[in-house]
Amino acid sequence: MISKVKAALANIMGGSGASSSQHSTPVANGSVVPSRHLPERLAVKFPFERPSFLELTPEELQLAADHIHRPVITPPEGRRLLWNAGYAEVINAGKSQNNEDQACCEVVYVERRDDDSRRNSFSSTEDQEEEVSELFFHHWGLFDGHAGPGAAIMASKLLHLQICDQLRDIVDILQKSSVPPPICLSNEVKTQSGPQAEESPTDEDRVLTNEAACRFHQEKQVSHESLVIGAIENAFKQMDQQIEHKRSTYHALGGCCAMAVVYLLGKLYVANAGDSRAIIIRNGKVIPMSREFTPESERQRLQFLAFLQPELLGNEFTHLEFPRRIQYKELGRRMLFRDHSMTGWAYKLIEEDDLKFPLIYGEGKKARVMATIGVTRGLGDHDLKVYNSNIHIKPFLSCLPEVRVYDLAKQDHCPDDVMVLGTDGLWDVTNDKEVADVVANVLSEYGPDHPRRFTMVAHELVLRSRGILKERGWRLANEKLGSGDDISVFVIPLGGPGTYT
Ligand code: MG
């Protein structure tokens, strides 16, 4: 039965998803993937490429890299992505040689970890065969690279395998209807009761020990949902470590924002680390599924870290924020400020330390951490330093995603309900309502039976956000500046017959 499902899904994915499962053993718990465990085809330096599902010929690849005409690229006709999702992308207007966005769309099979202790508990070979369990998840990923495309390429090839590896520990639990209560570990009890625990316990001891265990180790209910969230969070951490250890081998010297959507057992998990965004449009209403992580949105976290470890600022920066740069002649005067504990502003007397450059400076898209980077979560950036200094930025950047959950199975959806994922190139110039309007307009034009209706939506979103090249650069319909960034968009349908296959 499982092999039939695999074959059917491999058909849809052109075999790429199924082949991933053959190599889905990237890491052991708490350790970095050794290169010998990497899939053979990946154990080489990652060359620059566009997502494989675009199936670009060398000529088309060249065309896609044209900074002057910036053609919108979509999968070829007849290529059906997972759930018949739509995808489109366009290269930047010249800010970097390569398109530094990357995308991934895969079905991934999760095999239970091959655990000797579990295997030994089986009574016979037949039991082992009966106990073999498997599940699979659907994965869409967007990765917005900076300082080179390497980290984004690496994450697009491996993050879903890291998620798979984390899920391997909980296959059995997820396939049961409820989570068993945590087991009181006997070692913990022995530690509490001291040397006497070395002796054989009597029945009375056992009762007392169990009571003590319950008193000191209160049981906590752990939901399936929080186990999956934890698996995804840990996968991001492992991915970041993998980039750190392999960044020279794989030419992944920069970093990337990462957004991963996982569909597992009826729920969509949207994990975001960076400034890409996802929204659901249901019955024309917008439901935000992520938030951006920028120096402004994470000001207090960054300031608190600098407050606790001022040495990270290299005696060049102050963790306090002021409405503007302070001049030397203003020493001793009063100025508005705020620190890690404040959301509002208050006055303080200006001291010499306050003359240092602020940890966070600038507003909106121009805000930077230590005058260097405009996003505060993502993967990579292990070598990033403040210009002309030895001050590392990485301690201030978090690889942890925020994971939001959407219970797809509990909602009724119509064929026009979608989730839209986009890198910041989309969201910088197109707001939620405009995206919802484009979705409604294009889907009404291309009816429910049109095979490329969601690709047409993605195409229109990218085209509209890029704009038209005029004398004064790329312009939107309202003559405002179009996005000069790389733009990548997935449009994932949430309703209609046979969607979730
Ligand atoms: Mg971008």
Side-chain angles (χ1 to χ4, degrees), residues 95 101 144 423-425 485-486:
K95 72 164 193 167
D101 283 1
D144 184 346
T423 51
D424 64 333
D485 198 0
D486 304 307

Side-chain angles (χ1 to χ4, degrees), residues 171-328:
V171 170
D172 289 343
I173 298 172
L174 293 179
Q175 289 182 328
K176 286 174 186 153
S177 57
S178 62
V179 181
I183 299 162
C184 291
L185 298 176
S186 56
N187 281 346
E188 287 180 89
V189 177
K190 279 181 184 172
T191 305
Q192 298 268 344
S193 52
Q196 287 177 349
E198 298 295 328
E199 298 166 12
S200 299
T202 63
D203 285 348
E204 194 179 349
D205 285 340
R206 284 197 189 96
V207 171
L208 287 172
T209 304
N210 285 341
E211 282 178 1
C214 290
R215 198 181 312 139
F216 293 111
H217 304 279
Q218 206 168 17
E219 291 180 358
K220 217 170 208 176
Q221 290 300 316
V222 179
S223 67
H224 286 187
E225 192 174 293
S226 62
L227 286 172
V228 177
I229 291 172
I232 295 171
E233 289 170 333
N234 236 6
F236 272 66
K237 284 196 275 183
Q238 295 293 337
M239 188 68 243
D240 193 51
Q241 285 183 29
Q242 193 178 359
I243 291 174
E244 179 181 13
H245 288 256
K246 297 289 178 188
R247 62 191 187 281
S248 298
T249 314
Y250 294 102
H251 286 192
L253 298 177
C256 67
C257 297
M259 168 168 272
V261 174
V262 170
Y263 173 72
L264 178 65
L265 299 172
K267 292 182 179 177
L268 279 164
Y269 297 82
V270 182
N272 184 42
D275 60 2
S276 296
R277 285 186 58 222
I279 60 171
I280 281 175
I281 301 164
R282 192 176 71 208
N283 278 329
K285 290 208 174 92
V286 171
I287 304 167
M289 288 304 298
S290 66
R291 64 189 169 106
E292 297 159 82
F293 293 101
T294 65
E296 283 189 320
S297 69
E298 293 219 275
R299 173 185 63 82
Q300 285 174 281
R301 177 179 74 78
L302 304 177
Q303 285 183 317
F304 189 46
L305 177 60
F307 168 74
L308 291 176
Q309 298 184 57
E311 69 276 10
L312 296 176
L313 299 175
N315 209 28
E316 297 283 340
F317 295 87
T318 169
H319 74 282
L320 298 181
E321 183 184 16
F322 301 95
R324 61 171 171 77
R325 285 301 308 276
I326 300 168
Q327 297 176 13
Y328 186 80

Side-chain angles (χ1 to χ4, degrees), residues 8 14-15 25 32 44 54 80 119 138 164 170 194 202 213 229 240 257 263 276 304 314 320 327 337 400 470 475 493:
T25 53
V32 176
V44 293
L54 290 175
R80 187 174 173 234
R119 216 175 23 217
H138 300 170
C164 174
I170 54 173
T202 63
I229 291 172
D240 193 51
C257 297
Y263 173 72
S276 296
F304 189 46
L320 298 181
Q327 297 176 13
F337 85 105
L400 267 181
K470 297 189 175 174
R475 295 281 157 177

